[in-house]
Amino acid sequence: MTDPSILVKEIAKVLDEKKAMDIVAIKTEEVTIVSDYFVIASATSNTHTKALADDVEYEIKQRLNIAPEHIEGRATGWILLDYGTVIVHVFQHEDREYYNLERLWADAQVVDLSDVVTPE
């Protein structure tokens, strides 16, 4: 089993390579039983949202041989990829602002991604 922190970094790398915006990871294990981490990113359109989710699914399977346990929202502005210990949220900008997961999970620790994500 891959260390969830390694999975988070690889997901963030893929999102960054594919031009996702505002990539954030939060450590949720202390505040929920749902997962150990959330990775949250923004896309510019429905097409970009779907492309980012597809690329994460494909690249993580290639790099770490891990597939999501569940995927939701393929036809919407918010796609969720559930890797068990890590949940990836890919939003269109407006949907991300509306749901504001970072505020909702404000008690969770923010993960430093500066070593894998290009500064904006």
Side-chain angles (χ1 to χ4, degrees), residues 11 16 26 33-34 43 49 57 68 75 78-79 83 87 96 99 119:
I11 290 167
D16 187 55
I26 56 176
I33 60 169
V34 174
T49 303
E57 181 180 8
W78 177 7
I79 300 176
Y83 285 92
I87 298 178
R96 184 170 178 177
Y99 290 104

Side-chain angles (χ1 to χ4, degrees), residues 5-74:
S5 63
I6 293 170
L7 180 56
V8 165
K9 298 277 183 154
E10 285 301 316
I11 290 167
K13 282 182 201 175
V14 173
L15 289 167
D16 187 55
E17 290 164 4
K18 302 301 179 177
K19 307 300 184 210
M21 299 172 298
D22 303 320
I23 303 165
V24 174
I26 56 176
K27 191 171 185 177
T28 57
E29 69 182 346
E30 299 294 324
V31 294
T32 182
I33 60 169
V34 174
S35 68
D36 291 347
Y37 294 90
F38 283 175
V39 178
I40 306 165
S42 295
T44 56
S45 65
N46 266 349
T47 304
H48 191 211
T49 303
K50 184 175 180 343
L52 288 171
D54 288 348
D55 287 337
V56 167
E57 181 180 8
Y58 176 80
E59 290 293 335
I60 296 305
K61 181 67 175 168
Q62 296 302 308
R63 296 176 190 191
L64 301 174
N65 198 31
I66 300 171
E69 296 174 11
H70 186 72
I71 300 172
E72 291 185 21
R74 284 268 193 220

